[in-house]
Amino acid sequence: MAADGIAIVAGRGALPRLIAEDCRRRRIPYRVVIFEGVTLDWLPGHPVLHEIFEKPGKLFADLRGAGCGVVTFAGGMTRPKLKPTRFDFKFIGMAPRLLSGLKAGDDATLRMVAEIFEAEGFRIRAPHEILRGLLVAPGVASRLHPGPADRVDTDRAFAIVTALGAADVGQCAVVAQGLCLGLESIQGTDAMLEFVAATGAAYRRDPAGGRGVLYKGPKPGQDWRIDLPAIGPETIRRAAAAGLAGIAVQAGGVLMIGREDCLATADAAGLFLWGYEPEPAEEETA
């Protein structure tokens, strides 16, 4: 295998499967990297490397042996519970940096992991650089369009996510009638939408007002090669179950997994899908 093979570090969700299938279809050499504790049901038919978090020395050697010079991170991952008795020499050498980084926010942690791979000579590529058509384009993609109240709520949600993102906390929020009904934390988007479904109706003050908007966007200064926010059909179903009017995402900065399924799900549920373009920040003048 040539040194330009792609290592797909696979987590939960459909994205790693879609990338692997695309590589296979286009005859691009690749390996699916599965860490201990990650269970996927689509692996038969794909070349797989089984790895252990505590043994990066083996991981790097396996990647080089397989001719993988490119690494992409795809799908949701849970922070590992490390076992010091299994650390290899490579991990021991990196331990102070790794253990400190794992206590930081998600973006800082993933940036640190990417830097470690790059120090070993691997190139990091974003999923959307490999599988084309993933990024949400500007404009409304669904049949239903956001109304004036929805646009105001989206502006408010964007401001909230931008402020929290600066502290490396979360990539999405739900706002209805100007009130923040939910914020994403380490539990993820699904847990936030479940919370909104259970509690949000009590805070919608005006029955004729906006039902609420889920907004998602990357954090300020985020490395767009890793952990860009994503939506899929399940996100849309959960937003509908929470009684929301629609979903807005930062245009060009969010992945849509299964575009046709997403649009069909949104249209069937009566939700809008909007590639939101924030107004450029005004420069301060002296």
Side-chain angles (χ1 to χ4, degrees):
M1 183 183 289
D4 58 353
I6 297 173
I8 305 165
V9 180
R12 301 180 304 276
L15 181 57
R17 174 181 59 79
L18 294 174
I19 295 173
E21 290 174 350
D22 185 66
C23 287
R24 183 172 61 187
R25 182 168 52 254
R26 293 195 287 150
R27 300 183 181 276
I28 297 173
Y30 71 100
R31 292 288 190 274
V32 180
V33 178
I34 300 296
F35 281 100
E36 192 176 43
V38 176
T39 302
L40 302 175
D41 60 5
W42 52 267
L43 293 177
H46 296 282
V48 178
L49 296 176
H50 294 276
E51 303 297 337
I52 298 172
F53 282 108
E54 294 93 340
K55 300 187 182 298
K58 175 182 179 300
L59 167 64
F60 298 145
D62 287 349
L63 293 179
R64 294 187 181 103
C68 292
V70 174
V71 177
T72 190
F73 298 91
M77 298 287 287
T78 302
R79 291 180 183 236
K81 295 181 179 179
L82 300 174
K83 299 178 182 178
T85 56
R86 302 201 302 179
F87 291 174
D88 66 7
F89 287 115
K90 175 68 74 172
F91 193 106
I92 291 171
M94 299 186 302
R97 184 181 181 192
L98 271 171
L99 296 176
S100 175
L102 287 170
K103 297 177 182 178
D106 286 346
D107 190 50
T109 299
L110 289 168
R111 191 186 301 273
M112 177 266 299
V113 171
E115 289 171 353
I116 288 172
F117 274 87
E118 289 177 322
E120 292 290 325
F122 298 99
R123 288 171 288 140
I124 306 298
R125 290 186 67 190
H128 59 271
E129 294 176 323
I130 299 170
L131 182 61
R132 302 297 181 181
L134 285 175
L135 292 175
V136 177
V140 179
S142 55
R143 287 200 296 261
L144 189 69
H145 283 238
D150 302 320
R151 293 176 181 273
V152 171
D153 283 341
T154 301
D155 289 339
R156 169 77 169 145
F158 165 73
I160 291 169
V161 169
T162 300
L164 285 176
D168 199 2
V169 178
Q171 297 173 311
C172 67
V174 172
V175 171
Q177 300 178 25
L179 296 178
C180 182
L181 303 186
L183 296 171
E184 183 188 48
S185 61
I186 196 169
Q187 289 81 10
T189 304
D190 289 351
M192 179 195 66
L193 287 172
E194 288 177 4
F195 174 79
V196 173
T199 65
Y203 299 98
R204 294 183 178 99
R205 298 164 293 186
D206 180 2
R211 303 202 319 269
V213 175
L214 167 67
Y215 172 79
K216 246 189 173 186
K219 301 167 186 172
Q222 179 172 340
D223 186 339
W224 282 32
R225 299 173 302 168
I226 48 178
D227 195 36
L228 269 190
I231 61 170
E234 183 61 22
T235 312
I236 298 166
R237 283 190 284 269
R238 290 178 181 271
L244 303 183
I247 297 173
V249 302
Q250 183 172 325
V254 173
L255 310 178
M256 186 184 294
I257 313 303
R259 176 181 170 81
E260 291 189 6
D261 286 345
C262 284
L263 293 180
T265 303
D267 288 341
L271 269 68
F272 64 78
L273 283 180
W274 178 20
Y276 173 83
E277 296 180 280
E279 293 290 334
E282 294 184 5
E283 295 184 4
E284 294 185 4
T285 57

